[in-house]
Amino acid sequence: MKFLNQVSFLVTLGFVIGAIATPIAYTPSNVKRDLASIESVLTSIGNQVTTLDGYIKVASPNPTQIVNASTALVSTIKSGVSTVQASANLSDIDALGLVSPVQTLSKNVNTTIGDLIGIKSTVDSLKYGCTTYEQLQDQLTQATALSTALVSKVPASLQSVAQGLAKGITSAIQNGVTAYNGECTSTAAYLEFDSRDV
């Protein structure tokens, strides 16, 4: 009887250990996969930012190329927001893994927006000031949504840090919005729209 009780105890213990061990083994795998998907989102956005900056920095900027690259960037960010929103919450360690890619993206966005502000006179002369302003607003809207999505996946103890990092991206775009503010109310803006209607 004592032997049967010992066997019963061991079997029960085995089920308990199995029940506890299963989610522990499964959860990190899920989190790791979601961390990779979020990193991929940041990389894709970064690549599109670099592409946009390349068109901005050429000797004679082609407004059509800039507009197309900017439109693609907005689309990439929007898609990224959906991916991040669908991801599982991150652990403390995995959340810290986002620090470097977010900092890199923030730096690249800041550089690109700075370059775009630098060619403002050229953009104005080409009658693309209003279009640029509107696209910057779209970028800011999507970047803000991305920031919110990223912060929501980070543990509460690290959310303030995440918000600070993400703010570097939105602040840079906001600088561009501020620089081009008023473009859609100028005479140039009306000429711009008129020329496109022809």
Side-chain angles (χ1 to χ4, degrees):
M1 187 69 175
K2 184 178 179 180
F3 174 75
L4 291 176
N5 287 338
Q6 288 177 335
V7 171
S8 177
F9 171 77
L10 290 174
V11 171
T12 302
L13 181 61
F15 277 117
V16 170
I17 292 175
I20 294 175
T22 299
I24 291 177
Y26 181 74
T27 302
S29 177
N30 268 354
V31 173
K32 185 175 182 181
R33 185 185 66 236
D34 287 325
L35 173 61
S37 67
I38 293 175
E39 287 177 327
S40 178
V41 164
L42 297 175
T43 297
S44 295
I45 294 173
N47 290 339
Q48 193 57 49
V49 168
T50 299
T51 297
L52 173 59
D53 196 33
Y55 290 129
I56 292 172
K57 291 191 299 186
V58 297
S60 300
N62 183 321
T64 300
Q65 291 179 324
I66 293 176
V67 168
N68 290 340
S70 180
T71 299
L73 174 58
V74 171
S75 178
T76 300
I77 300 175
K78 187 173 182 179
S79 176
V81 170
S82 296
T83 298
V84 174
Q85 289 175 335
S87 299
N89 293 336
L90 301 177
S91 67
D92 288 352
I93 294 177
D94 288 324
L96 290 175
L98 292 179
V99 172
S100 181
V102 171
Q103 286 179 326
T104 298
L105 178 58
S106 178
K107 179 181 178 181
N108 291 340
V109 170
N110 189 63
T111 296
T112 299
I113 296 299
D115 290 339
L116 183 60
I117 293 174
I119 65 167
K120 186 175 182 299
S121 59
T122 299
V123 172
D124 288 342
S125 68
L126 294 171
K127 306 296 185 293
Y128 272 82
C130 182
T131 297
T132 301
Y133 173 71
E134 291 178 335
Q135 290 196 317
L136 283 167
Q137 285 186 309
D138 289 341
Q139 290 172 23
L140 181 59
T141 297
Q142 294 305 322
T144 300
L146 177 65
S147 173
T148 299
L150 286 172
V151 171
S152 73
K153 300 303 176 181
V154 172
S157 60
L158 296 175
Q159 288 190 348
S160 61
V161 175
Q163 288 172 337
L165 291 171
K167 187 175 181 181
I169 298 173
T170 54
S171 293
I173 300 175
Q174 180 60 61
N175 289 337
V177 170
T178 300
Y180 280 86
N181 186 36
E183 291 290 328
C184 292
T185 58
S186 66
T187 302
Y190 292 113
L191 291 174
E192 176 183 341
F193 286 119
D194 287 343
S195 65
R196 292 184 177 191
D197 290 337
V198 175

